[in-house]
Amino acid sequence: MAGSFKIGMKNLKYAIITENAGVETWGTPKTLAPAISGKVSPIVNSATAFADDQPLAVANAFAGCEVELETSLLSNTALVDLLGATKDATKGVVSFGKNDVAPNVALLFECALDGGITQYFALLKGQFALPEDQYNTKEDNITFNGQTIKGTFIPCNKNGAWKTQIRSDATETGTAATITAWYTTVYTG
């Protein structure tokens, strides 16, 4: 659709990936946090070959994808799941340690487009880093602060795909079933 624009992001979910001998298994998606904003930035390395004083060929290579999400505050469950932190089961305290290892996860969300169309996305394999927090003193005016978390996503081992997406206006026979299952099973292709 020419001239379409994205007007909303919502339903942020994540699914933990387990890997055994290079074979990935995606867990059931869980809610991450309400979305405020998000940015998905593919990283593409480019090189140009020159010969006879002019460009001869251009090569591009996908090098991953950087993700930056601003959300409402992440739950303790999401912090533990996404960052490898630990939680004291009897006291509820979350501890962050120098040896924490963030697991690979998939990230799922949807975006409203103009014309009542919804586009669903899944970034298939990546890790998140510790979130940024900002704190302000109480003032006369009300200020809402979200939490920013960044991650890097790469192609999955299964088929080399790094992202899947579908639009609600797709006309293929399996579209409705795929959209219905989008947040229950990670579609990997």
Side-chain angles (χ1 to χ4, degrees):
M1 167 186 274
S4 68
F5 55 92
K6 297 173 177 141
I7 56 175
M9 176 187 204
K10 64 181 181 178
N11 289 332
L12 282 175
K13 310 272 187 202
Y14 66 94
I16 298 173
I17 299 170
T18 56
E19 197 168 328
N20 186 7
V23 177
E24 299 138 332
T25 303
W26 285 261
T28 302
K30 299 178 184 180
T31 299
L32 195 146
I36 296 172
S37 66
K39 182 177 180 181
V40 177
S41 304
I43 304 164
V44 179
N45 294 325
S46 295
T48 303
F50 289 85
D52 289 336
D53 295 333
Q54 63 185 0
L56 181 66
V58 175
N60 295 309
F62 178 76
C65 176
E66 293 178 350
V67 173
E68 183 174 327
L69 301 172
E70 184 181 1
T71 68
S72 65
L73 292 179
L74 298 170
S75 69
N76 284 343
T77 300
L79 289 170
V80 169
D81 285 351
L82 294 176
L83 303 173
T86 56
K87 181 179 176 185
D88 184 312
T90 59
K91 296 184 175 98
V93 176
V94 176
S95 298
F96 299 89
K98 66 179 183 176
N99 296 321
D100 291 350
V101 176
N104 284 316
V105 297
L107 176 68
L108 300 95
F109 60 95
E110 64 190 73
C111 184
L113 306 178
D114 58 328
I117 298 165
T118 302
Q119 190 162 15
Y120 299 85
F121 297 90
L123 302 179
L124 299 179
K125 183 178 183 179
Q127 291 182 344
F128 283 99
L130 291 169
E132 295 177 13
D133 293 314
Q134 179 179 337
Y135 305 99
N136 295 326
T137 189
K138 188 176 179 181
E139 300 174 352
D140 294 352
N141 298 327
I142 297 172
T143 303
F144 292 102
N145 286 327
Q147 192 168 33
T148 300
I149 188 165
K150 297 177 183 178
T152 302
F153 285 75
I154 59 174
C156 63
N157 299 339
K158 176 182 177 181
N159 58 10
W162 66 276
K163 175 173 86 169
T164 56
Q165 65 186 48
I166 189 169
R167 287 173 47 137
S168 61
D169 63 344
T171 58
E172 289 77 8
T173 55
T175 298
T178 301
I179 290 172
T180 299
W182 197 257
Y183 293 118
T184 56
T185 305
V186 178
Y187 183 88
T188 58

